[in-house]
Amino acid sequence: MIQRLLDFLNASPVNFLAAKNICEQLDKAGYRRLDARLPIGKISAGDKLYVTKNDSSVYAFHIGTKPMAEAGFHMICAHCDSPTFRIKPNAEMTCEGGIVKLNTEVYGGPIMSTWFDRPLTLAGRVIVRGENAMSPLTMLIHVKRPLLQISNLAIHFNRQVNDGVKLSKQKDVLPILGIVSEELERGNLLMNVILEELVKQRPVKREDILDFDLYLADATPSCTFGVHNEFLSSGRLDDLSMCYAGLEALLASADNGAVTKVLAIFDNEETGSQTKQGAGSPFLASMLKRIAFAESGSEEAFYQAVERAFMVSADNAHAWHPNYGEKFDPTNHPVLGGGPVIKFNAAQKYASDASSAAVFAELCNKAGVPCQRFVNHSDVAGGSTLGNILASSIPLHGVDMGNGILAMHSCRETGSAIDHVYCVKAFTQFYDTE
C-alpha cells in the first residue's frame, strides 16, 4: 500500500497529472466517464461513473442499491493542488554568460526557502491548436529529469543568512534553466523543452503550441525513511496523500453497498477554492442533482439525499513537531503514527462539530484504527480547508480531518507510513457503513 502511494506521488507532480492518474485507475476499475455537456441518461444501482472539470478535478460516483433520496450518500473530498511556482508567460530571462532563468509567480503559500538548491523539474498542461479556435487540444507533460534549480546566494555575500532572510518572490526564487549554446536558442530554450516533451506523445509543430499551465516540481523521488521506514518523505503529501487514500478506499469498498459513494477531488484549495474546479464551485452540486434526478426522476431526491448525506473533508493536519512543541495546543496535538486527525476550530474554519466528530471517531473504532484530535494553539492562527467552503453550497453534515504531517507546504513534507494505512481502513469503513 505504501509503495502504491509513493508511485502515485512520483507520477503526480502537479494537479493535472494527479487528476489524470486518478482517472486511469477509475477506468481500470470499470468506472464510466461522463461528459458534463451531455445528458447523463438512466442511472441504476451499481453504476460507476466519474466526470472531470478543467482537466484538474475529478468526481466519482458509485451508485448504491438504495435510492439516494432514501440513503443519502457518503462523500470523501480532498484537493490535488499544492503550493509551488507557476511559470509566467514570456518566462525566459537571459543573463550574463548566456544563463537563462525563468520568470515565475508563487502559487499558494509555499515555504520558499525549501525550494532552494535542489533539482527541480517542470510539469503541467500545454494547449495545442485544434480543429477550430473554440476547441484547442490539451496535452500533459512531465519532464522526468532534473531540469532547473533555484540557487542560494553564497554565505560570503550574506553573512546574516542563518539569522533569517526575507525573500523576494520576484527576485530570489527564479530557477536557472540552462545556458544558451547558440543564437537560435535565445528566447526559445523553454519552448524547445516543451516541444521535445510533446513530440514524444504525437507530432506537434512549434507554431501549434498556443499556451501552457506549467509549474515547478521537486525532481527527487518520494521515499520512506527512519530506522523502521516509518516515515514518508515527499512533496505534495498535502493533499495528494488524502486523494489517494480516498481513491484506494473507494476501489476497495463493497460493490453492492446500499449507500451511494462519492469521491470529490477538487483543485485550487491552496488559492481559496473559488474557481470552477474548486470546492466553492456549484459544479459538484449540479452533478449530484443531475444524478439524483436521473435515478429518481425528481429534483426533490437531491435535497432529501443531502439531508441524509455525510461528508469527510480530507486535508492533512499538523503533527506535533519535536523541535517546536510550544507552537501546539497543550492537550490536542496529534503525533505521527497516531492515526487520522479530526480538526476543530471555534471560528468555524473546519466543518467538524461534536456530532460529526463522534461519527468519524466511531468509524475509526469500527475499523480498528486509532483517532486523534487537533485544535490550534490559541495564540497561533490556523488555516482553513474544503469542508466549510463546500458546505456553503451544499449544506452537508460532515467532518474535517487528515493525517498529521510535518513541514506542511514545504517542498518536501514528512508523514507517517502507518497513518496512511490507518486512513485507508477508516475511509473504507466509511464507504461500507450504511
Side-chain angles (χ1 to χ4, degrees), residues 208-222:
D208 291 332
I209 299 174
L210 303 178
D211 215 327
F212 56 74
D213 291 311
L214 294 178
Y215 299 85
L216 299 186
D218 186 7
T220 307
S222 305

Side-chain angles (χ1 to χ4, degrees), residues 149-344:
Q149 185 162 297
I150 303 171
S151 293
N152 253 306
L153 182 65
I155 193 172
H156 309 79
F157 299 115
N158 184 5
R159 296 291 182 178
Q160 289 74 45
V161 65
N162 292 322
D163 299 326
V165 175
K166 182 176 176 57
L167 296 172
S168 165
K169 296 177 181 178
Q170 183 59 67
K171 172 181 170 59
D172 296 319
V173 290
L174 304 186
I176 296 171
L177 175 63
I179 297 177
V180 174
S181 60
E182 57 184 68
E183 192 60 31
L184 287 176
E185 287 188 330
R186 189 175 298 274
N188 292 306
L189 214 56
L190 174 61
M191 196 56 65
N192 289 347
V193 171
I194 294 172
L195 188 59
E196 179 183 340
E197 292 298 315
L198 294 181
V199 296
K200 294 177 182 178
Q201 304 175 43
R202 52 168 289 177
V204 175
K205 297 179 180 178
R206 167 65 183 84
E207 57 268 27
D208 291 332
I209 299 174
L210 303 178
D211 215 327
F212 56 74
D213 291 311
L214 294 178
Y215 299 85
L216 299 186
D218 186 7
T220 307
S222 305
C223 66
T224 58
F225 73 98
V227 172
H228 308 293
N229 285 315
E230 62 265 57
F231 301 115
L232 301 170
S233 175
S234 176
R236 306 174 304 283
L237 287 176
D238 175 32
D239 192 34
L240 289 186
S241 61
M242 292 292 97
C243 293
Y244 198 67
L247 177 65
E248 288 244 299
L250 180 67
L251 301 185
S253 61
D255 264 346
N256 59 347
V259 181
T260 292
K261 293 170 281 194
V262 182
L263 177 66
I265 306 300
F266 295 106
D267 192 11
N268 303 131
E269 190 275 344
E270 299 295 354
T271 56
S273 295
Q274 301 303 311
T275 62
K276 61 186 179 298
Q277 58 273 1
S281 167
F283 182 76
L284 175 59
S286 69
M287 287 305 303
L288 285 167
K289 188 178 295 185
R290 291 170 68 181
I291 288 172
F293 187 87
E295 181 186 56
S296 67
S298 168
E299 186 175 309
E300 176 68 19
F302 165 72
Y303 299 104
Q304 291 178 319
V306 167
E307 296 305 313
R308 291 180 168 88
F310 194 91
M311 168 193 65
V312 174
S313 168
D315 197 357
N316 281 318
H318 300 291
W320 183 81
H321 197 302
N323 294 344
Y324 304 98
E326 73 280 1
K327 295 291 186 181
F328 295 83
D329 183 77
T331 61
N332 296 280
H333 48 266
V335 296
L336 292 173
V341 179
I342 301 172
K343 303 190 288 187
F344 295 90

